[in-house]
Amino acid sequence: MERAHGYERIITGLYKYYENGGMRNIILHFIGDGLELPYYRSLIHKYNLENKAIFYGMKDKNEIEKIYDKCDLGVSVLGGYKKGIEYHATLKTREYFAAGLPFIGAGSHDVSDYDEFRDYVLSFSNDPTPIDMTKVVAFYDK
């Protein structure tokens, strides 16, 4: 988990969602390790979202696929702005599609260049604002 992943945006967005009366049961699944992991854990604790987040640590391909089976959406890069990156072409988005998962991200994603994939990507602004989880829920429902 690197700084440019920007997952603090979705954690803060989830907190705001529930603070504003959101009712959907949303669980964040974090796979991996890295420099930002303690920060993400501290935000989960700060916002009392311990029952809304699972941290798995490092997993192999087969274990990751089993976790994907529990998920409804993937989360791509949300902090590209921190490195001046606006356009993303990541292996992770292809893994999400291979697992049948639409995904959210920030900025532009190369897969959005193709009409057949556009409906399965929800893009947010490429800045530090929290992710609007009501939009995520509406995207999921659609």
Side-chain angles (χ1 to χ4, degrees):
M1 295 182 196
E2 299 295 328
R3 190 170 172 267
H5 286 139
Y7 296 145
E8 70 278 357
R9 293 183 66 194
I10 196 161
I11 295 168
T12 304
L14 188 61
Y15 167 73
K16 289 182 176 291
Y17 173 76
Y18 288 123
E19 185 179 53
N20 292 319
M23 298 299 290
R24 193 68 63 96
N25 185 29
I26 300 169
I27 307 294
L28 302 176
H29 296 261
F30 293 94
I31 302 171
D33 200 353
L35 296 174
E36 292 295 287
L37 180 58
Y39 175 51
Y40 299 146
R41 285 183 182 276
S42 73
L43 285 177
I44 293 294
H45 180 73
K46 174 183 174 182
Y47 295 138
N48 291 320
L49 294 171
E50 288 90 347
N51 64 336
K52 300 294 183 186
I54 302 170
F55 291 92
Y56 294 93
M58 297 299 289
K59 297 294 178 190
D60 66 27
K61 179 184 179 227
N62 292 328
E63 292 170 311
I64 291 170
E65 288 174 358
K66 288 177 184 173
I67 295 168
Y68 284 166
D69 288 343
K70 300 176 185 180
C71 298
D72 297 306
L73 298 172
V75 179
S76 185
V77 177
L78 298 174
Y81 69 93
K82 296 175 186 180
K83 288 188 167 186
I85 300 170
E86 176 64 34
Y87 188 78
H88 305 283
T90 67
L91 178 59
K92 185 61 60 190
T93 59
R94 281 138 181 86
E95 287 180 13
Y96 291 149
F97 279 161
L101 294 173
F103 71 90
I104 69 166
S108 300
H109 290 79
D110 64 334
V111 293
S112 296
D113 293 342
Y114 302 94
D115 290 336
E116 62 268 28
F117 298 132
R118 208 168 280 136
D119 290 341
Y120 304 99
V121 179
L122 175 61
S123 292
F124 287 92
S125 59
N126 195 21
D127 59 38
T129 58
I131 298 301
D132 183 342
M133 296 305 286
T134 58
K135 289 183 180 177
V136 174
V137 169
F139 173 66
Y140 169 77
D141 288 344
K142 181 180 114 187

